[in-house]
Amino acid sequence: MTRAFVFPGQGSQAVGMGKDLSDNSSVARDVFNEVNEALSQDLSGLMFDGPIEDLTLTFNAQPALMAASIAVVRVLEKEFDVNVADNAGYVAGHSLGEYSALAAAGTLSLSDTAKLLKLRGEAMQRAVPVGVGAMAAIMGAEFSVIEEIAAEAADGEVCTAANDNADGQVVISGHKGAVERAMEIAKERGIKRAIPLPVSAPFHCPLMQPAADEMAAALADTTFNAPCVPVITNVSADAVSDPNALRDQLVEQITGRVRWRESVLKMGELGVTDLVELGTGKVLGGLVRRINKEIKGRSIQTMADIEAFATELKS
């Protein structure tokens, strides 16, 4: 069996995230305290108690999701002797989850990852004034069809496929008017579900270039180590181990498409049979069933989940 550890992206945040681990593990508390200190913010308090409106803000949600994921990783490593290098062939993450994957694989330090994600969230919010951009999920059509619809809807503005999440689940991003035109075209073509997303900025499209420029400067000043296992990156949907390539692709990722469907297909080609989502929610574990039914998906977020997983590995 080849296993991949994967890490969730924005949208998986929820009030109470990480609290079970914090209540039951000093190792997890150390992770949350280190992130709080790095950000000079009581982020864990916001994670545990909300309010959800503040937790959902991009610059809070991104480091919070990472902290919850790395708490799971550290508890597995330090309390159950289950480390990434010996128990996974690959790591990957959805959008901001790629930062969690890099922290889990030892490429980035925890404090650097927290600071980078705080900046990433702030930079993405600054890049486009509120109300100028939008995103929408279009369900029930092949990716190539959505690409055509986005190109037709652009009409001189930006409209592009931002997230290729699974068969029949594609997110588009760009100028608000162009995204609305794309939704109308989709309905005219008989695609029944086109849903505007409650986001504050149009992520993963060319409008994010100012954020990419900010992140490029910050990432250039950050130490990148070689990962202990290859990273299946969002930009390439391929296995990458070179630290400089990983750094460059984090910059590209800001404006580029999240190729999650292709990433999971690549994992299958590489022999992955077990995809384990570490952190909050069960989104990625659910998507894998729509992409490759040969890969088993599961999610680990509580101490009970960790104990069951560790026991299974050692049996």
Side-chain angles (χ1 to χ4, degrees):
M1 174 194 293
T2 299
R3 185 178 298 108
F5 286 157
V6 300
F7 300 88
Q10 205 161 332
S12 290
Q13 68 274 359
V15 172
M17 59 192 288
K19 190 172 190 311
D20 174 79
L21 288 182
S22 179
D23 288 346
N24 290 285
S25 169
S26 62
V27 171
R29 288 194 293 276
D30 287 344
V31 170
F32 297 132
N33 288 336
E34 185 174 343
V35 170
N36 288 347
E37 186 174 336
L39 300 180
S40 301
Q41 175 188 4
D42 183 17
L43 185 64
S44 60
L46 181 58
M47 292 165 64
F48 302 160
D49 302 319
I52 188 63
E53 294 80 11
D54 291 345
L55 180 58
T56 300
L57 293 171
T58 300
F59 51 79
N60 288 327
Q62 294 198 25
L65 284 159
M66 182 277 299
S69 288
I70 298 305
V72 173
V73 171
R74 293 277 176 86
V75 172
L76 278 168
E77 289 177 342
K78 295 188 177 182
E79 295 192 28
F80 295 90
D81 196 28
V82 175
N83 61 51
V84 173
D86 294 335
N87 292 278
Y90 303 92
V91 294
H94 191 283
S95 191
L96 80 90
E98 190 161 294
Y99 285 77
S100 306
L102 291 170
T107 296
L108 293 171
S109 72
L110 177 58
S111 60
D112 281 348
T113 309
K115 291 172 186 175
L116 286 168
L117 283 173
K118 186 79 171 180
L119 173 62
R120 184 177 184 266
E122 292 170 342
M124 288 173 129
Q125 193 61 67
R126 281 193 292 267
V128 180
V130 173
V132 171
M135 299 180 78
I138 302 183
M139 320 287 252
E142 294 298 314
F143 177 76
S144 58
V145 173
I146 306 303
E147 271 196 314
E148 291 173 8
I149 289 172
E152 181 181 340
D155 194 26
E157 294 187 310
V158 170
C159 186
T160 187
N163 295 5
D164 181 9
N165 287 332
D167 294 320
Q169 188 182 125
V170 178
V171 174
I172 59 172
S173 181
H175 285 104
K176 187 172 187 287
V179 169
E180 289 171 347
R181 287 193 294 273
M183 294 170 66
E184 285 302 315
I185 294 169
K187 290 174 184 174
E188 289 167 8
R189 294 196 183 184
I191 299 169
K192 294 181 180 177
R193 295 190 68 195
I195 307 162
L197 296 181
V199 296
S200 55
F203 306 130
H204 298 291
C205 80
L207 293 176
M208 286 286 111
Q209 188 58 50
D213 295 340
E214 279 197 64
M215 290 306 297
L219 289 162
D221 288 336
T222 303
T223 299
F224 274 64
N225 303 307
C228 64
V229 296
V231 184
I232 310 294
T233 68
N234 289 184
V235 167
S236 71
D238 204 354
V240 179
S241 293
D242 177 69
N244 291 322
L246 290 167
R247 186 199 313 268
D248 292 343
Q249 290 193 30
L250 286 181
V251 178
E252 293 177 52
Q253 190 214 66
I254 300 285
T255 56
R257 184 170 75 245
V258 175
R259 297 168 62 186
W260 189 253
R261 177 182 60 85
E262 293 174 82
S263 295
V264 173
L265 291 174
K266 183 65 178 182
M267 291 182 219
E269 291 174 13
L270 293 168
V272 170
T273 56
D274 193 17
L275 184 145
V276 184
E277 181 175 10
L278 305 180
T280 303
K282 300 181 178 181
V283 171
L284 303 182
L287 285 177
V288 72
R289 289 189 286 275
R290 300 180 57 177
I291 301 168
N292 184 342
K293 291 183 172 59
E294 301 301 311
I295 300 178
K296 176 186 174 185
R298 64 191 298 171
S299 301
I300 297 176
Q301 50 189 317
T302 65
M303 186 61 83
D305 295 336
I306 291 171
E307 290 173 352
F309 180 59
T311 299
E312 181 182 313
L313 288 180
K314 296 180 189 307
S315 63

